[in-house]
Amino acid sequence: MFKQKPLAAAVSLAVWSLATVPAIAQDAQPVPMQTVEVTGIRASMAKSLAVKRDATANVEVITAEDVGKMPDKNLADSLQRLAGVAVRTDYDEAEKVSMRGTNPDMSLIIFNGHAVSSADWYVADQGSSSRSTSLSLMPSHVLNQAIVYKTSQANIVDGGLAGTINVTTRKPLSQKERVSGVISVGGSYVELADKYAPDMNGSVTWKNEANTFGVIASLFSEKRFVRRDSVSRFAYGTSSGWDVINTTTMLGITDASLAGTGYKASDLNGVRLPGSMSSEFVESVRDRKGGMIALQYKPNNQLDVNLTGFHSSLDADNHGRLTSSAIYSMLLGKNHPLGNTGAAAINTAGVDGQRVYAQIRNPVIVNETTVYGHQLKVLKAADIVFPDGTPPQYVGNSEGFFRDGANATSSFLDLDAKYRVNDDLTVKTLLSASRGVGRTDLDQGLTLARYGTGISYALGGLHDAPYVKYQGAGSNQPGLNADGSGYRIVDRAASGIRTEDKEWSAQFDAEYKLGRGVLQSLESGVRIAEHKRTSGRRGPAFRAGLIDGTTGALTPSAITPTTGWAPYPGDFGDGLGGGFWDNSGFTYTREATKAYIAANTKVTSPEWERRVSSEIDMRERQSAGYLMANLEGERWSGNVGLRFVRTNVKANIVTPVAPRTACLRVEPGKPAVTCAAFPGTITTAGDAVAYYDGVPFNPSSGTMYYKTPTDRDFDNWLPSVNLRYEITKDMIGRFGASRTIGRQNYNILGSGFGTPTCDANGCRVTGPNPDLEPMTADNLDLSWGWYFAPRSAVTVSVFHSRLKGYPKTGATAGSTVELTDPRDNQVKTFAINTASQQGAKISGIELSYEQPFGKTNFGFTSNVSRAKTKVDDGRPMVGASEWAGNLGLYYEDDKLSTRLVANYRGDYVNSSTAPSPTANSQGLSTINGVLMPTAPTYADGVTTLAFNLNYYITQNIELAFSATNLTNAKRAQYRYSEQEQQKLDVSGRQYFLNLRYKF
C-alpha cells in the first residue's frame, strides 16, 4: 500500500495553499522596501538571526516583536518551529518540549534565568512526577525572547541535560511609548467539538517621563472546547493489549472449529492477537486565565532593578466514555465482569450450565517484522464467538468518567538587579520563588459489563479505524435485555489527586572586565535552590460493594442506572476512517455520574480518604558555583568555564508494614493510635480499604504504611568551552564541548512499593532507587552559519552526546525489603525491582535555511533535524524522534501579514515521560519461545499544518485569524510493528479570530 511521506504531503499542501496569496495581496501596493520600516514577521526574523549570529554558543532564537504573528497559542507551539526541537501534543495543543532526540525531562526550561514550577492538567500526568515543564499554561504572547542553548556554558543554570531554554519576558523601559498597550477580543471554534468560546487578552505599559520607572500589566482569558475520538486496544482484565494464542488454555480453538479455513488449532499457537477492541470519546475544556506584571526601576546607567510576577490557571474538566471488548477473557472461558481470569473467577456457562469457550472463526493471519527484527504472526481479522446457541456471556465493558475540578496552576515571582560598580565590575542578583499545582478534585466513573455472544474485527492500516461488530449484545444502552444481553453495572470509582511543586532560588553573579590580551572578562557566581515535590491521592468511602473482587459475583447493591445517559455523538469517529465499524456507544451525563457517586459515597474524614501508598514526599536542594572566562581575539571569541553542582535529595519513601497485622487501622472518627512495632505507621488513613455501611469494621484489613527517610548527596563538575570564529564577514563557525547534568524523575527516586508477587522463583516488588545519581552527558557540537543576506541564513550543526546514568527501569538492584506474601499472608524477603543506570549515545545533524524570495514580500523558513539514539541495552530511548522538520511560508506588507507552517515529528516511544519503576517496562518477554524486549508503545510520525493571517484595518486596529491542525491529522500508535495498531485518535481543526486594538 502506497504511503506518502508526511513531510512531503505537508510541503505540497503548504506550497499549493500559498499560491493564491499574491492574488489576495496584489492590490495592497506595497511601498518599496528601502523606505519601509521593517516590522512584524520580518523584524522578528531579523532580530532573531542577529542574536543567533552574535551568540558565542550555538543557539536558536525566537523574538516576539509583534504579538500574534505565528499560529501559536502557547510557548511550546512557538518552540517547535526551531531546528532540533520537538513537542509532545495533547488534544492538538503542544505541551512538553524535547531537544535533539531526547525525552522532555532532559530539557530545562527557565524563565528570566530561573526555574519555574509547572503543573499538569491531565490526571495521569499529575501522578507521574515528571521533571518536564508543561507549557500549556504559558500563552505565547508573554514571550519577549526565547533563547535555546544547544551548547552549554558555565553561567547557565544546571539541569538541562540536552539543552536549556531561557524565556525572557518584556521590560517596560524597553517600550517605545510612555503609554501603550493592546486589547484583543475574539473567540475560538473547534470543529470536532462544534463549540465556540471567548478569547480575550490585553496589556498596558506605562513609564515616567524620565524613563526611569515603568510598569507592564497584562491579563489573559483564553477558552476553547476540545474533543477527541479514539479507537484503541485498551480494556479490562489480564490482557488489555496484545497477547498470544495458547490452545492449551483457550480450549474453544479446535481443528473442528477451524474447519474450512485451511488452519489447524496448532497453527494458531503463538499468534499475536489484540486482547480488546475499544472506542473512546472524550470532551474537555481548556479555560486558561492569568496575568503578568513587570516593574522596572533604572534611575541611572549603573542600576537596573526588575520585579516580575506571573500566574496562570488552566481549568480542564474532562468527560468521556470507553467501550471495549474482552477477547482474552472470552477465549479463556471466564465470565468475571472486570476481566479477571484467575482460578477463582467466575466461569462462563452454556445452556447446560457447563463452562464454554469462545472460538476463533475465519482467521486472517499475517506476518510482521518487529522493531527489533524478530518475526511474529498477527491475527489480523477474526470472528471471536461462542458456539451457536450459547446464551449471552461477558464480552466487554463500558466505562464512563467525569474528572471534576481538573486544574493546573503555575506562578512565579522574581526580583533581579544589575549594578555596575565601576567601569570594570558589574554584579547581578536574582531571587525567585515558584509554585505549581496540578489537581483533579474527583476522578469519578461507572463501569458496566457487557453481555453478548461474540465480536468480529478486522484491522486495517495503521491510520484507519478497525472494523468492529458485536454479536448478540443487544442495543447499546444501559440495562439487561430479557435474553441476558446488554449492560449491568459492576464497578465504580472515585478519587482525587493533588501534586504540588515548589522552588525558591537565589543567585549572585559578577563580571570583571580585564581586557588583557585574549582574556576579556571573568564571570563567577553562586546559586542555591530548594525544590519540594509532594503528590498524593484521596478517595471517598463507598457505602456498599458491587461485586466480589475475586469471583466477580454481584451483590444486591449492583443496580444499573437506566436514566441520565446519552448516546455517542452522531459524528463520532467520522475522522478516523476505516469504513464501517461499530461507532455506537453511550455515556452517562456529568450530572448523572456525579449524582450516582454522591449517593453511593459517605463522609468519613480527610485522613481516612488519604491513600498513602501513592504519595511522593521529596525535598531537593541544589547548590552551585562557577567561574567562566570570556575570550576574544582577532576574528574569534569564546568562553571557557567550570561549574560545580551539589544535589542533596531527601525522600520519604512509603513502605508497607509487614506483617500486615503488626499495626491496627483506626476507624474514622476515632482517636489516632500509635503502632508500637512501627511507630511511624499512618494508622488513620483508609488506603482504599472498604468501609461499607452495616459491615463491622476490621482494623486488620488492607495494608498500612510508614515512611522511610533517605538522604543522598551527589556532586558533579561541569566543564564547558565555546568558540566562535568569523570565517568571513558573513560566515560563522562554532565549536562547543561541555558536560551537562539531568536529574532523575521524582517517582524513580521516591515512589512507594507496589505490585508484590511471589512464585517459584521467589518474591519481587517494584520500588524506588534513591541511590540513582543524576544523569550526565559529555557533549560535542560543531556548527556553521552563513548569513548571506538580510533575514537570510543557512546553518548546519552536527552533535554527539554520550550519556551516563540513563535510567533502566525494571532492573533488580540487589536491595530487598520485608513484605507480606499476598498468597499466604506470611512475611518474606522481597527483591526490589527498580531502576538502575546505563549508558546511551545521541548523534545528529541539524540544517536550517530561511530567506525572502528576492525583493518580494514573500519568504520562507525551513529546518530539518536527525538524531540517532542508542541505549546500551538496545531499547529505544523514550520520547526520542529520529526526524523532525518545519517548513514555513510567509507574506507581509504594510497591511497584510500571513504565514503557513508545516511541522513534522517522526516516530517515538511515547511511554510516560516519567516511567514508573515497573518490573518489566524495559525487561524481556518470551513470545513463541523467543526472548525479546518487551514492546513499548510507539507514536507514529505526524505532520500538522497551521495558518495565520493578520490584516491591519487601520494603523491601530488589526484583525487576526489563525487555524491549527488544518489537515485534521490522525495520531496513530503501535506496538511491535505497524501490524499491531495500539491507538488512533483525531481532535479536529481549530480556528481563532481576534480583533486587536493597539494604542
Side-chain angles (χ1 to χ4, degrees), residues 271-325:
V271 174
R272 301 269 292 171
L273 84 160
S276 67
M277 304 298 296
S278 306
S279 61
E280 184 179 3
F281 154 68
V282 181
E283 287 183 308
S284 183
V285 66
R286 297 288 182 276
D287 193 358
R288 181 169 57 199
K289 294 183 175 72
M292 184 177 69
I293 186 167
L295 289 79
Q296 185 178 12
Y297 176 59
K298 191 176 182 181
N300 49 52
N301 289 332
Q302 284 72 44
L303 180 64
D304 187 359
V305 181
N306 294 270
L307 178 68
T308 306
F310 172 84
H311 176 77
S312 179
S313 175
L314 179 70
D315 290 326
D317 290 355
N318 47 101
H319 173 231
R321 194 78 191 177
L322 172 78
T323 300
S324 63
S325 60

Side-chain angles (χ1 to χ4, degrees), residues 30-330:
V31 180
M33 289 293 293
Q34 62 266 27
T35 64
V36 175
E37 178 185 3
V38 179
T39 61
I41 293 175
R42 292 169 292 171
S44 181
M45 292 176 61
K47 189 171 182 179
S48 296
L49 283 181
V51 175
K52 179 182 174 70
R53 172 178 174 156
D54 295 339
T56 301
N58 185 5
V59 301
E60 298 287 347
V61 183
I62 295 177
T63 302
E65 290 296 298
D66 284 351
V67 174
K69 297 300 183 184
M70 293 281 282
D72 302 332
K73 293 304 161 187
N74 66 39
L75 290 179
D77 282 328
S78 301
L79 291 168
Q80 72 175 325
R81 314 294 179 197
L82 299 176
V85 177
V87 297
R88 195 192 82 176
T89 300
D90 288 306
Y91 294 90
D92 284 298
E93 181 175 15
E95 288 206 1
K96 300 197 174 184
V97 174
S98 61
M99 295 175 59
R100 291 190 158 180
T102 60
N103 199 359
D105 297 315
M106 298 180 185
S107 300
L108 177 65
I109 300 176
I110 56 179
F111 278 71
N112 296 331
H114 61 82
V116 172
S117 292
S118 180
D120 295 296
W121 63 267
Y122 178 51
V123 64
D125 289 333
Q126 288 168 350
S128 74
S129 287
S130 164
R131 287 188 185 267
S132 58
T133 301
S134 175
L135 293 179
S136 60
L137 290 160
M138 309 295 179
S140 57
H141 53 74
V142 305
L143 167 75
N144 175 59
Q145 187 179 77
I147 300 181
V148 180
Y149 289 90
K150 297 180 176 180
T151 58
S152 186
Q153 52 193 44
N155 61 352
I156 296 178
V157 177
D158 49 85
L161 186 80
T164 301
I165 302 171
N166 186 23
V167 179
T168 59
T169 53
R170 291 186 294 157
K171 294 184 177 182
L173 297 184
S174 299
Q175 308 307 305
K176 294 180 180 179
E177 306 294 335
R178 277 197 59 210
V179 179
S180 61
V182 59
I183 299 172
S184 176
V185 179
S188 65
Y189 174 72
V190 178
E191 190 176 63
L192 191 58
D194 193 22
K195 290 183 179 180
Y196 297 87
D199 184 341
M200 295 174 285
N201 62 75
S203 66
V204 61
T205 301
W206 174 88
K207 57 184 179 178
N208 62 8
E209 290 186 5
N211 203 41
T212 59
F213 178 75
V215 180
I216 293 179
S218 64
L219 294 172
F220 53 87
S221 177
E222 302 168 341
K223 186 176 183 178
R224 64 189 175 100
F225 294 94
V226 296
R227 181 178 130 189
R228 184 181 68 193
D229 294 355
S230 306
V231 290
S232 69
R233 303 290 79 74
F234 176 81
Y236 292 82
T238 304
S239 175
S240 62
W242 288 80
D243 214 311
V244 296
I245 296 172
N246 183 352
T247 57
T248 63
T249 56
M250 301 174 180
L251 302 182
I253 305 173
T254 63
D255 291 346
S257 68
L258 293 168
T261 66
Y263 291 107
K264 294 183 178 180
S266 58
D267 297 330
L268 271 64
N269 270 322
V271 174
R272 301 269 292 171
L273 84 160
S276 67
M277 304 298 296
S278 306
S279 61
E280 184 179 3
F281 154 68
V282 181
E283 287 183 308
S284 183
V285 66
R286 297 288 182 276
D287 193 358
R288 181 169 57 199
K289 294 183 175 72
M292 184 177 69
I293 186 167
L295 289 79
Q296 185 178 12
Y297 176 59
K298 191 176 182 181
N300 49 52
N301 289 332
Q302 284 72 44
L303 180 64
D304 187 359
V305 181
N306 294 270
L307 178 68
T308 306
F310 172 84
H311 176 77
S312 179
S313 175
L314 179 70
D315 290 326
D317 290 355
N318 47 101
H319 173 231
R321 194 78 191 177
L322 172 78
T323 300
S324 63
S325 60
I327 293 173
Y328 203 70
S329 292
M330 294 165 62

Side-chain angles (χ1 to χ4, degrees), residues 615-888:
E615 291 183 354
I616 292 178
D617 182 5
M618 296 186 61
R619 188 200 71 187
E620 182 178 271
R621 286 180 176 167
Q622 305 165 11
S623 55
Y626 75 90
L627 179 65
M628 187 176 80
N630 293 307
L631 313 172
E632 186 172 347
E634 185 178 356
R635 299 173 61 181
W636 70 274
S637 60
N639 59 60
V640 58
L642 180 65
R643 187 179 185 93
F644 171 75
V645 180
R646 169 164 289 181
T647 306
N648 173 256
V649 180
K650 292 185 177 180
N652 294 314
I653 296 174
V654 175
T655 307
V657 169
R660 295 178 180 176
T661 55
C663 299
L664 299 179
R665 196 181 304 275
V666 176
E667 187 173 3
K670 301 293 179 65
V673 176
T674 301
C675 175
F678 298 91
T681 300
I682 304 168
T683 60
T684 54
D687 264 298
V689 168
Y691 186 54
Y692 298 143
D693 291 344
V695 178
F697 178 74
N698 180 6
S700 300
S701 61
T703 302
M704 281 178 283
Y705 302 89
Y706 62 95
K707 293 189 176 182
T708 304
T710 64
D711 191 338
R712 303 289 190 275
D713 285 321
F714 305 103
D715 293 340
N716 295 96
W717 293 92
L718 308 177
S720 62
V721 59
N722 289 279
L723 297 175
R724 176 184 182 274
Y725 183 73
E726 292 189 4
I727 303 170
T728 67
K729 180 182 178 181
D730 299 322
M731 201 174 294
I732 309 296
R734 289 183 179 85
F735 169 79
S738 65
R739 173 170 293 171
T740 53
I741 68 167
R743 297 177 175 91
Q744 304 289 350
N745 281 323
Y746 301 105
N747 64 339
I748 295 180
L749 294 170
S751 65
F753 295 95
T755 60
T757 57
C758 294
D759 53 33
N761 297 319
C763 294
R764 299 166 301 283
V765 64
T766 60
N769 186 352
D771 295 323
L772 286 189
E773 297 180 355
M775 292 175 284
T776 61
D778 292 329
N779 313 291
L780 293 174
D781 184 280
L782 185 63
S783 66
W784 170 85
W786 183 26
Y787 303 85
F788 56 90
R791 302 186 303 281
S792 304
V794 175
T795 60
V796 181
S797 298
V798 292
F799 58 90
H800 176 77
S801 296
R802 179 184 290 272
L803 277 62
K804 180 181 179 182
Y806 182 74
K808 175 180 172 61
T809 59
T812 301
S815 301
T816 61
V817 64
E818 299 298 309
L819 299 176
T820 302
D821 185 341
R823 301 175 303 174
D824 55 19
N825 289 324
Q826 298 297 310
V827 176
K828 297 177 182 177
T829 300
F830 282 69
I832 301 174
N833 283 332
T834 186
S836 62
Q837 297 185 271
Q838 58 183 326
K841 297 177 182 178
I842 306 171
S843 300
I845 184 171
E846 298 164 349
L847 172 64
S848 298
Y849 177 28
E850 56 186 273
Q851 182 181 4
F853 289 129
K855 295 182 179 181
T856 71
N857 293 338
F858 291 91
F860 73 94
T861 61
S862 63
N863 61 68
V864 64
S865 62
R866 186 185 189 190
K868 294 284 290 185
T869 61
K870 183 178 181 181
V871 182
D872 283 355
D873 64 4
R875 294 348 184 253
M877 183 176 286
V878 174
S881 287
E882 182 176 349
W883 289 97
N886 293 275
L887 175 63

Side-chain angles (χ1 to χ4, degrees), residues 484-540:
S485 64
Y487 290 94
R488 63 179 181 184
I489 192 167
V490 293
D491 197 15
R492 68 276 184 277
S495 67
I497 186 172
R498 185 179 188 274
T499 297
E500 183 177 36
D501 190 86
K502 296 192 298 184
E503 178 170 306
W504 66 263
S505 65
Q507 64 184 73
F508 178 83
D509 301 271
E511 181 176 8
Y512 187 74
K513 294 182 180 179
L514 293 171
R516 298 178 180 176
V518 299
L519 183 58
Q520 294 298 301
S521 67
L522 287 176
E523 290 186 51
S524 64
V526 293
R527 178 181 182 269
I528 58 172
E530 181 169 281
H531 200 107
K532 291 185 179 180
R533 171 64 68 100
T534 57
S535 180
R537 299 189 73 97
R538 295 182 179 272

